Every structure is written in structure tokens, then in C-alpha cells.
Amino acid sequence: MSKVLIISITLIYLALLFGVAYYVDRKGGKQKSWTNSPFIYALSLAVYCTAWTFFGSVGRSASSGAGFLPIYLGPTILAPIWILVLRKIVIICKKQRITSIADFISSRYGKSAFLGILAVVIAVFGVIPYISIQLKAISSSLDLLMSADPLLLNAHAHLPFYEDSAFYVTILLALFAILFGTRHLDPNERHAGLVAAVAFESIFKLLAFLAVGLFVVYGLFDGFGDLFAQAIEREDIAQLFTFEEGMDGTQWFWLTLVSMFAFLLLPRQFHVAVVENDNPNNIQTASWLVPLYLLLINLFVIPIAIAGNLLLQEQGIEPDTYVLTLPLLADQEGLAFLAALGGFSAATSMVIVATVALSIMISNNLLLPLVINAELVDETKAELPGRLLGIRRVSIICVLLLSYSYFKFVGESYSLVSIGLISFLAVAQFAPPVIAGLYWKKANRKGAIAGLIIGFLIWAFTLPFPTLIEAGLFSTDILEYGIGGIHGLKPQSLLGLDHLDQFSHAAFWSLGLNTLALVGISLYSKANATEIQQADLFVNIYKYQEQQEDYSVIQRQASIDDIKMVLTRFLGIQRARTLLKKFESNRKLELNKLETAPTELINFTETQLTGALGAASSKLILASIAKTDAISLEEMLTALEQTQEILQYSKALEKKGQELEKLTKELRRANHQLQELDQMKAEFISTVTHELRTPITSIKAFAKILAENPDLSNDRKNEFLNVLVSESERIARLINQVLDLEKIQATDQELSFETIDFIQLLEHTATTFSQQVSEKGIDYRFVSEIKEIIIMGNKDRLTQVLVNLWSNALKFADPQEGQIQLELQEVNKTWELVFRNNGKAIPPEKQDTIFDKFTQVQDRNLGKPQGSGLGLYICRHILEQHQGSINLVFHPGWATSFLVRLPKLKD
């Protein structure tokens, strides 16, 4: 293919990536909803799939069958517990404003500057080989497309840099890494554009690889059956997919374990999984979507490897290039270029994110502590933010140039996977201090430092060192006889352990001794106050998650002016003003009126500086302006316990406060109901008194007439005596009703039930009131097609219910054209009696309480209640004793309707 065309399309693709990132960044909040989606987050985690995946997995499969799988099995097996482990890490980092894996380790172990530097050194030495294989993949792809001769791929080591395509690829990637990742000082401000670009590349490389896979299986062969049938006929290929010829279980174990650690602890993975994650809930979706992505992108690895071995192996072509050379073999230059762009996409996303993450680590943990003292002393210097961005840009260039140097002098002689595994095991050294830091409070700084140093030295001795020997930089006698002729110091069989493959051997010794040193030294050494505080926060982060104030049990003193000075010097004037206004607004303070900074402001300042400069640097800055009150270890532990108790007590108080607020509302409602009840009771007493006084007055008056006029005619005497009897009965009824209420309230006694013909009971009650119905000219109707209804009940009690309902109906029926209707029917194995009357309706304000005690409806003429207000309450209670009910219902054309329900007698 034309060099100009290849270079032009590659540059257009990079411009497209930058356009995506620039567009998302410019839109800002408008795009925040979809760039923060769990699917974009999961796709950004696919930055794990680099050129190693795109080209190297096929190369490894071609030589070891299924040997590439453990690299992807590790993250897949780990995925279900991301919700616990990764979520906890994200919450800690947002709380502490942690911006890198080095910062995480440094912050956990007392904000140790030395530990941060050590972590940076390990990360840089570990990741540089990994970046170098991306440069190798890109340059090899371009060379292959331009020359179409796979045998000319190993010429980079002999070319001067100005003729080497890999050098220009390095410069181009450095430029784009600077444009993508160093436009803001504070890495905690999410790079939405970078994340969007990485997600786009994840989709592109997946589609490109699937396109090549489909072409190989269905274009070069007649499907999977044909491909595997030909593979089985080749004994050398068939044997690759057996443990005897491929890999043993020990190698699978160590590769799977190390890949688990690498997926979360590689600087680029930590950056996209933690630093760029604004919503921990996205992890739940990623825990199934990422394994699905890994499955899809590896779906055609084995078929492509088999096809390459069948068609290209005898030509001596490097297996890492099969993804490109197979389409070229079939004169499919367009597909080959798509594959090259897919590999380029996989490599660029890794390089950009990795160099940005490393630049943050180098500037915050390695270089900043060296310049901070000068910044504090020399006030004539410009603000740090601009120069700090310059430091990070220079760091990116340096990292890429070192990676290019490694590729040129060492990496070109090894496969992509071999170099990649060196990097994986390097960052896996972070696993013991990270895991212990999350779940074991006793893990301390001394143990973490010892473990990392031992693990790093053993890693360097057992993996990278042999590659340097084979590159001719050291004597090959070391591999055969050991350093100084000591057989126990042979890099590939340390202490005589020679039955493991090189990678398993290195993993066993480095991770094993790393963990042993961490645990052993932590158990037999003491932590300082800051370590204890940070250990409690990391292990028990969920206790502090909802705490608004920045957490610290160490009391420090500093002036307001010093606080303003450091914020301005290290974050810039505008950023400092914004943060101080935010602090004043949240805590309702005026800092200008204070001389000494409150502890909360000092903690707030340290947290903000940590986000921009790292935990160790921010600790150093605050130590220069803040005086720390002396505190012993015992006082520290006591303060920490008290702080925990206070936090727990605060949460308990908050819960009790909510319960008290709820109880207060309930008490207010109850008080209001009591006031209403008291008013109803007063009305009841007034009504009962009036009802008693009226007949007593009549009895007294007529008795006096009879006593003073013995000569009255018999007719008049009989008339007066009838009045006396009537009024006496009236008093008796009132007293009986009050006594019924008392009886109901005193006990819910068992009633004697018997079979009752309910229709006869209705007719008998109607006959009792027939005279009053006739006198008032009321139109009474009983509507029912049922001739006989047998129920179980207490006849006297049910009669009382019907009498009360009749009394109310007669009392409030229309005085001119009164109507009363009883309708009886069966509904769902229940007898329903509707008792209707026209005339006076129950007022809306009384409808909810009409069945309560003392509730009375005023008479339309007298303007005062009639009756005792107990009738309907008694009706409801009696019907409930009969497993029935009574409700107020509404029927068009009727003023009042009561629905009485009684259970149907079972057969």
C-alpha cells in the first residue's frame, strides 16, 4: 500500500479520536449523562486489551495453544467481586482525592513520601516494557503494510532513530498523550473526553478483530469445521491444545492470579477504573459487560492462530503478525489496513492512558517533593499549576522515549506476550500492600516498604535481568552459573528451584517474599499516629462515607493567611478563591474575621492539595505551615476509638432524631384528635344533659298538675299519665344507650348466637316504626327478591342495630316528602343491606368520623345535635362482633345510605 495513504489515514484516525475527546470536553455537562453511563465506563476498562491482545494473543496461541487464556480468565474470575473490592477502592479515592496507584499506597501507609517514590519507580520500570510492545506492534504493522514483506520486521535495531518509523510513532503518541491528558491540573476533575475516546477505540478494535476473524474462518476456510479438521491432521498443531505440550497447571495458576492483580493495579487500569469513575454504581454493570467484551475479542484468537500455522508457519513468519499477514496473503489490503488500524487503536489507547497516569505519579510523588520547599520559600516564582503541567508533559515525553529505547535495544527480540508478562508481574507487586491496606489494620509502612523492595528486586532479577543478558548487556555465564558463581543466585532457578517455568518461578519468589515481608514486619513493628488514622479510614471507609467533614484525629494549627498562601501557590488564585468560598458557604463562616484556621479548614486544604499534588506532597506542604499538637500512640488510639464512637453516636442520634420527629408528628395528630374528642365529649354531655332535663321537666310539671288538681277529669288525668309514661320511657332509652356503650367499652363479651331469619327481623322492625312512618307521611319500600335469609347472630343486638338505623332515617328524612328504602341482596357470599333515606345529608366534615363515639349531626331546624352520638358507634361495634361491617356509601338521588354487610351462613 502507498506510504502516503497509510500515513494519511492513520493521521485522520488520530484526528478523529482527538475530535471525539475535544467535542465531549467542550460540551461538558451536556454530555455528562452519557459519558458517565455504565456502558461507557465498561468500555473504557477495555483499555486492558492492548496490542498484546490484538496481535500477541494470536502469537501466543500459535505456540502454546490455549496458553493465552489465563490473561483474560483472571479478570473474568475477579469480576463478580469488583462490586466489593473495586467499589471500596473508588469510595476511598474519592474521599481522599487519590489520583494514582502510587498515591493510594502512599496515602494508606501514613502518606509516606518514600513509599510513594518507591511505588512510582516500580510502576515506571514495570510499565516501560509494556509501552515498548505497543510501539513494536504499531511500527511492525506499518512496516508490514508498506513493504508487504513479513521477513523485514526485525530491522529497527539497526536503523538510526531518524530513519526509524517507531521513533516518529513515539513522538506522535507523546503529542496526543499531552493533548488528551494534561490540560487540567487536578486529575480528579474527570477527563470525559479521554474516557469517550478510549470507549470509542474499544468498540473499533473489537469490530476490526471480529472482521479479521470472520474473514479467516469463512473466507480462507469453509467455516470452523473445515479449519479444525485441517488442524487435527497436523500433529504439531493438535498437540498445542493439550497440557502436555502446551502449559501445565502451575503456569495457568500464576498467569491467572497475576492477571487478576494487573487488571486493577496497572496504572492505566487504576486510572480509568478509579480516578475517572464518578459513580461507583457503574461497577455493577462493568462486572458482567467487561467479561463479555473479553469473550468476544478472544473469540477468533485460536482460529486465526491455527490458520496462521497452517498457511504461514513454514515461511518463518512471526506469529504475532498473523492478524495482518493472513489478509495480505489473500490480497485483502483493505482488511489488512483495517486490522492495522485496530491494532493501532488498541495500542494508542493504552499508551495515552498509561503515560498520563505515569506522568501524574512521577510529578506528584517523585518530582514535587523535591521542589515544594523552594516553592514555599521563594514567593517571587510564578504559580505552580502552569509549571506542574509542564513537568507532566516532560514526564510523558521521557516515559515514551525510555519505552522506545527499551524496544530498540531489548524488546524487539522478544514476543509481545513475553514482554507484557514482565510488566504484569511488576505491577502485581502492589497487590500485597493494597489488599492488606484494604482489610488489615495492622499492615504498616515498614512492612509495605520492605515487601515492595524485596518483591521488586526479585522481579528485576528473575525476569528483566535475563532479557538484558540475552541482549548481550551482561555475561551469559550468570544464567548458567549464577552471580559470582553461586548456583543459588541463578536468575531462572533461584535457590535451586528449577522445576518451574521462568514466569511461574519469578511470580512465586517475588509475590511470596513480598507478602511474607509485609506480614512479618507489620506484626513486629509499630505504626505511627498518621498510619493508624489512615488504616482505620481505609479499612472502615463505609463508616466515614457519609461524613461531610474531612476526617482527622490529629489536631493542627495554622494561620488563615498561610492557608490562603499555599492554596494560591499550588492551585492558582482563581481555584483557591473558589475553594475558600465553597468552604465558607458550606460551614457558614467568614474566614476574614478569623486569624487561626479551624481544624476543618486545614483538613479541607490538605484534601484539595492531595487531589492536585498527591498525598505525600500535600502532607509535606501542610507540615511546613501547620503546627501539630504532640500526641502519643496511646492518645492516638484513644482518640481514634473516641472518634469512632462519636461517629457511631452521631449516626445513632441522627436516627433517633428522625424517629423523634416522626413521633412528634404522631403526637401532634393524636393531640388534635384528643381535642376533637374532648369537644365531642362536651357536646355529648351537653346533649345528654339536655335530653335528660327535658323529660324530667315534663314529668315534674305534669306530676305537679296532677297533685295540685285532684278534681281533673279522668280523660285529662289519663292524658297526663300517658305523657309521664312516655317521658319515663324516653329517659329509660337514653340511660340504656349509655349503659350499652359502657358495656361495650368494658368488655367484648361473647354473645350467644342463634339462627335468625333476617328478613323476618327486618319486617318486624319495620312494623315497630310503621306508626311513625305513617304519621310523617314517609314513603317506605323494601326491595328484595329473596324470600328467606338465615344467618347466625344475636337477635337483640341486631334488632338494636336496625332500630338505630330506623331512628336516624326517621329523624333526618325529608319532612315534606320523606322516603326510606331498604334493599337486600347477595354479593360474593355476603348479605348486603342498603338503608337509604332522603332529606338531610351528613355533612362532609362529619363523614370520616360518623361512626366514632359522640359524633352528632345537627338538627336542620334547631341548629343543635339530636341524640347522644352513640347510635352508629354501637351499630359498628355490634356488626363487627358478627363478622360484619357498616359503611357510609353514596347513591344518586339519596341523601344518606348505609351499607350493612353480614356473612352468609355456611352450608
Side-chain angles (χ1 to χ4, degrees), residues 595-629:
E595 293 183 2
T596 302
T599 302
E600 294 82 2
L601 178 58
I602 298 175
N603 296 334
F604 175 78
T605 301
E606 183 173 10
T607 302
Q608 300 305 317
L609 290 174
T610 297
L613 311 176
S617 297
S618 63
K619 178 185 176 183
L620 182 61
I621 293 170
L622 266 295
S624 68
I625 64 168
K627 178 183 178 182
T628 303
D629 294 341

Side-chain angles (χ1 to χ4, degrees), residues 92-93 96 98-120 270 361 364-366 369 430 433-434 437 443-445 448-449 452 528 530-531 534-535 538 606 610 613-620:
I92 290 171
C93 290
Q96 295 271 285
I98 290 170
T99 58
S100 67
I101 182 62
D103 209 17
F104 183 90
I105 295 172
S106 169
S107 180
R108 163 59 178 86
Y109 295 98
K111 303 183 180 180
S112 167
F114 179 77
L115 196 51
I117 293 172
L118 179 60
V120 171
F270 190 90
M361 295 165 64
N364 287 2
N365 297 91
L366 192 62
F430 295 143
V434 168
N444 61 32
R445 179 179 58 87
I449 290 174
L452 284 178
N528 61 35
T530 306
E531 287 181 67
Q534 290 297 101
F538 274 59
E606 183 173 10
T610 297
L613 311 176
S617 297
S618 63
K619 178 185 176 183
L620 182 61

